[in-house]
C-alpha cells in the first residue's frame, strides 16, 4: 500500500500554513493565543487526527479552516486556493465542499425545526432542488446514517444523543462535501455509541471518498480512525506522524505522557504512567522557549531560550523538541 506521506505530497486537499488565531481580552491589551503558528496538510481521502488536552486550540483550528473564526494570520489552502480573505460570495459557494460535525448533538440541532428542516436547510440555502427533491434527499441521507426516514417529521428532542449525532452527520453530508471537520463528534456520547458513530464515519468515508480532520481528546478513538495524527499543546503542534508509528514510537515527551494514560484492555499488563506536574499555562502568557517545558520531565535550562521547530525524525514523522535524539 502507498504510504500516507507519499499520498500527501501528491494529492493535498487541505493545507494550513502558519495558522494563527488570537482572541482579544476584554478591557486589556492582552490576547489569548489560541492557535499560534500551526501548519499541516491533509491528503484527499485520508483522516488526520488532531489531539491534545482541552483548551489547547484544537477546535479553534477546525473553525479557522472553515473560516467560522477568521484567522489572525496565516493561510488555508483548499484545492490549491488560499481561502483566507476570500469574498463572502465565493466562500459561500466553497462551503458546499467543506462541512463540520459539531461536538454537542444537543445544542447543534435547532429545536424549532423538524429533522427534515434541519437536514434540508443546507440544500435550501444553496438553492438545490424543489421541496419534493429535498425531501427525497433527506430520506436517502437518513437511511445512509442508520435512521428510519419516516422519522423526518419529528423533532430533535425526540431522539437519543447517538441518534442526534447521526442527524448532524446527515446534515454535514447533504451537499456532498469533500472535507468534513469532525469536532469531537463522539465525546458527548456513551462509549458503546461512540464505537457505532466512529464505524459509521469510516463507512461513509469509504462510500463517499470523504476527507476528515478528526478532532478529539480520546486517543484510543483517534488511533482507530486516523491515518495520521497531530498532537497539539498550548496552540502549537508538537508532533505529527502516521498513526501506527506515533502510537508505537512517540518522540515528544508530551505525546509519551498522553499515550501512557491510555488504559490497557489486559489487566495483567502494566504501562508505566508519566504523570505531568503542574497545570497547563495560560495561553495569554505562554512560557518562553518551549511551551511544554514547565511540565516536561526532561526539560533543561536551554528549553527556556529556544522555541523548538518541528523537525523530521523519520520520513513523515516530525516532532518539536530540542532533546530528540539524545540518549535519555
Amino acid at each position: 500500500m502507498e504510504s500516507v506521506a507519499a499520498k500527501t505530497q501528491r494529492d493535498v486537499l487541505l493545507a494550513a500554513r502558519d495558522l494563527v488565531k488570537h482572541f482579544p481580552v476584554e478591557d486589556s491589551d492582552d490576547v489569548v493565543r489560541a492557535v499560534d503558528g500551526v501548519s499541516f496538510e491533509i491528503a484527499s481521502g485520508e483522516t488526520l487526527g488532531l489531539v491534545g488536552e482541552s483548551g489547547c486550540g484544537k477546535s479553534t483550528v477546525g473553525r479557522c479552516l472553515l473560516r467560522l473564526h477568521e484567522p489572525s494570520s496565516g493561510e488555508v489552502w483548499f484545492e490549491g486556493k488560499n481561502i483566507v480573505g476570500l469574498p463572502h460570495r465565493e466562500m459561500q459557494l466553497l462551503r458546499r465542499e467543506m462541512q463540520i460535525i459539531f461536538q454537542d448533538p444537543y445544542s447543534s440541532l435547532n429545536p424549532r425545526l423538524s429533522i427534515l428542516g434541519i437536514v434540508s436547510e443546507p440544500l435550501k440555502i444553496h438553492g438545490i432542488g424543489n421541496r419534493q427533491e429535498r425531501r427525497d434527499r433527506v430520506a436517502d441521507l437518513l437511511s445512509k446514517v442508520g435512521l428510519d426516514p419516516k422519522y423526518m417529521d419529528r423533532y430533535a428532542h425526540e431522539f437519543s444523543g447517538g441518534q442526534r449525532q447521526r442527524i448532524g452527520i446527515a446534515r454535514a453530508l447533504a451537499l456532498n462535501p469533500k472535507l468534513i471537520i469532525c469536532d469531537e463528534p463522539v465525546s458527548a456520547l456513551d462509549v458503546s455509541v461512540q464505537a457505532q458513530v466512529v464505524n459509521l464515519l469510516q463507512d461513509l468515508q469509504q462510500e463517499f471518498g470523504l476527507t476528515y480532520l478528526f478532532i478529539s481528546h480520546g486517543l484510543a478513538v483517534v488511533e482507530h480512525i486516523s491515518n495520521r495524527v497531530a498532537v497539539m499543546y498550548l496552540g502549537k503542534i508538537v508532533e505529527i506522524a502516521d498513526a501506527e508509528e506515533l502510537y508505537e514510537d512517540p518522540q515528544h515527551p508530551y505525546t509519551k505522557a498522553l499515550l501512557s494514560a491510555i488504559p490497557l484492555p489486559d489487566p495483567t499488563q502494566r504501562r508505566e504512567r508519566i504523570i505531568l506536574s503542574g497545570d497547563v499555562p495560560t495561553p495569554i502568557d505562554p512560557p518562553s522557549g518551549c511551551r511544554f517545558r514547565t511540565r516536561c520531565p526532561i526539560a533543561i535550562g536551554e528549553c527556556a531560550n529556544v522555541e523548538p521547530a518541528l523537525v523530521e525524525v523519520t520520513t513523515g514523522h516530525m516532532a518539536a523538541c530540542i532533546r530528540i535524539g539524545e540518549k535519555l
Side-chain angles (χ1 to χ4, degrees):
M1 178 181 287
E2 182 183 30
S3 71
V4 172
K7 184 181 179 185
T8 302
Q9 291 177 357
R10 190 191 72 244
D11 192 18
V12 173
L13 178 70
L14 178 81
R17 298 278 184 261
D18 297 319
L19 193 63
V20 173
K21 180 59 182 177
H22 294 169
F23 294 98
V25 178
E26 190 175 358
D27 299 327
S28 171
D29 293 331
D30 293 329
V31 294
V32 176
R33 301 173 180 271
V35 178
D36 219 6
V38 165
S39 299
F40 58 82
E41 295 177 344
I42 309 178
S44 180
E46 81 163 329
T47 299
L48 175 68
L50 186 60
V51 302
E53 292 171 285
S54 295
C56 72
K58 306 185 300 297
S59 294
T60 303
V61 167
R63 289 168 183 262
C64 285
L65 295 177
L66 300 179
R67 285 184 59 194
L68 298 179
H69 292 321
E70 287 293 342
S72 302
S73 65
E75 300 174 343
V76 177
W77 291 83
F78 183 79
E79 293 191 316
K81 177 185 290 187
N82 183 13
I83 67 172
V84 174
L86 212 60
H88 173 75
R89 178 57 183 164
E90 289 186 50
M91 194 64 215
Q92 186 179 29
L93 292 173
L94 190 62
R95 291 197 189 282
R96 296 188 185 192
E97 311 289 344
M98 311 165 71
Q99 292 292 306
I100 185 170
I101 300 168
F102 294 99
Q103 176 179 358
D104 187 356
Y106 294 91
S107 63
S108 63
L109 302 180
N110 190 334
R112 297 178 179 232
L113 293 180
S114 66
I115 303 311
L116 172 62
I118 290 171
V119 179
S120 66
E121 190 171 25
L123 301 172
K124 288 182 180 179
I125 291 172
H126 289 271
I128 297 173
N130 56 37
R131 179 177 296 182
Q132 186 56 50
E133 289 170 339
R134 289 196 289 265
R135 189 176 184 90
D136 292 342
R137 174 66 173 157
V138 171
D140 181 58
L141 287 169
L142 292 179
S143 296
K144 295 287 188 188
V145 300
L147 294 175
D148 194 326
K150 70 182 182 183
Y151 296 148
M152 71 170 68
D153 293 316
R154 296 186 180 183
Y155 290 80
H157 71 271
E158 300 179 71
F159 294 87
S160 67
Q163 289 173 322
R164 292 185 198 191
Q165 197 59 293
R166 289 172 186 266
I167 294 165
I169 294 170
R171 177 177 59 187
L173 291 172
L175 296 172
N176 287 319
K178 295 177 180 177
L179 172 73
I180 296 182
I181 307 295
C182 305
D183 186 10
E184 302 201 38
V186 298
S187 63
L189 306 178
D190 293 339
V191 174
S192 59
V193 180
Q194 287 184 14
Q196 295 172 15
V197 172
V198 168
N199 290 336
L200 171 64
L201 288 171
Q202 289 181 306
D203 292 341
L204 293 171
Q205 183 175 39
Q206 291 294 319
E207 182 174 353
F208 296 105
L210 298 169
T211 302
Y212 292 147
L213 175 66
F214 192 91
I215 299 168
S216 178
H217 56 255
L219 289 165
V221 174
V222 169
E223 181 182 19
H224 180 70
I225 196 173
S226 301
N227 301 110
R228 291 186 302 133
V229 176
V231 181
M232 278 193 74
Y233 183 81
L234 209 62
K236 288 185 174 289
I237 289 180
V238 298
E239 187 163 5
I240 184 167
D242 284 359
E244 183 177 354
E245 182 171 348
L246 184 132
Y247 279 78
E248 290 184 356
D249 188 26
Q251 295 294 312
H252 197 279
Y254 178 61
T255 308
K256 293 178 181 180
L258 290 180
L259 295 180
S260 76
I262 299 177
L264 292 171
D266 186 348
T268 64
Q269 293 184 341
R270 292 289 183 269
R271 177 183 280 138
E272 182 181 353
R273 282 296 310 275
I274 301 174
I275 307 298
L276 299 178
S277 60
D279 297 322
V280 180
T282 172
I284 297 176
D285 184 24
S288 63
C290 175
R291 297 187 175 193
F292 183 58
R293 67 177 176 82
T294 57
R295 305 173 71 200
C296 181
I298 61 169
I300 56 177
E302 191 178 357
C303 295
N305 304 317
V306 178
E307 184 172 334
L310 280 169
V311 296
E312 194 165 58
V313 182
T314 59
T315 303
H317 189 162
M318 305 184 75
C321 176
I322 64 173
R323 301 202 66 188
I324 287 176
E326 295 183 26
K327 292 184 179 180
L328 301 177

